[in-house]
Amino acid sequence: MSGAGVTKEQLRMLNAICGDLARQINWHGCRLDKDDWRHLLSGTAAGWRAVPTINQGDGQFGIVLLGSSSLKLTKQQAQGAITQGLVIGDDPSSQGLKAQPVRWSDAVLLGLGHNPNDFRDVA
C-alpha cells in the first residue's frame, strides 16, 4: 500500500461505522449489511459509475454501480467516507431517512477520541 493509501486505522473506523449503520439505519427502504454500507460509502468517496448488468438470457437489464474497494481508497477518500458515514448516522434526515440518530459503538466512540463511558445511560 502506498503512503497515500488508506490506513489500517481508517479501515477499522470505517468498518465500525458501517456495522453501526447496518444495525440501525434502513437506507431508503433497503436493509444494507455492513459490507453494503462499506461499498456505498467507498463508492461515493471514490466516485462511482453506473453500468447495465449482464443479460442472463431473460432480456432484463438492471443497473450496477461500480465504485472502488475500501482498500483502494486514498487517505483523503477514506476520511470522506468516514465523515459521510458519521453524518448519515448523526443526522439520517440529511439523506431523507426517517430514522433516529445512530447510537455509536464503543469502537466508533474510541476512534473519535471519546470515552464510551461518558455516553452510557445512567440507571
Side-chain angles (χ1 to χ4, degrees), residues 34-55:
K34 181 179 175 178
D35 289 337
D36 293 333
W37 275 104
R38 193 175 64 250
H39 292 250
L40 177 61
L41 293 171
S42 298
T44 301
W48 56 34
R49 59 196 188 282
V51 299
T53 58
I54 298 168
N55 181 345

Side-chain angles (χ1 to χ4, degrees), residues 4-115:
V6 63
T7 67
K8 289 180 182 179
E9 292 80 12
Q10 286 177 311
L11 287 174
R12 280 195 298 272
M13 183 65 160
L14 182 59
N15 280 324
I17 289 167
C18 291
D20 288 350
L21 290 170
R23 284 186 290 281
Q24 300 175 55
I25 298 289
N26 185 312
W27 183 253
H28 300 285
C30 297
R31 201 65 175 162
L32 304 180
D33 66 20
K34 181 179 175 178
D35 289 337
D36 293 333
W37 275 104
R38 193 175 64 250
H39 292 250
L40 177 61
L41 293 171
S42 298
T44 301
W48 56 34
R49 59 196 188 282
V51 299
T53 58
I54 298 168
N55 181 345
Q56 297 184 26
D58 59 7
Q60 300 295 314
F61 287 96
I63 297 291
V64 172
L65 297 177
L66 303 177
S68 182
S69 163
S70 58
L71 297 174
K72 294 181 180 179
L73 295 175
T74 66
K75 287 180 185 178
Q76 184 176 2
Q77 289 169 331
Q79 184 58 48
I82 289 166
T83 299
Q84 189 62 59
L86 291 169
V87 167
I88 292 168
D90 287 343
D91 184 13
S93 67
S94 70
Q95 295 296 311
L97 304 173
K98 294 180 181 177
Q100 294 297 314
V102 167
R103 290 184 56 105
W104 297 115
S105 62
D106 288 357
V108 172
L109 293 173
L110 288 167
L112 293 171
H114 298 294
N115 180 344

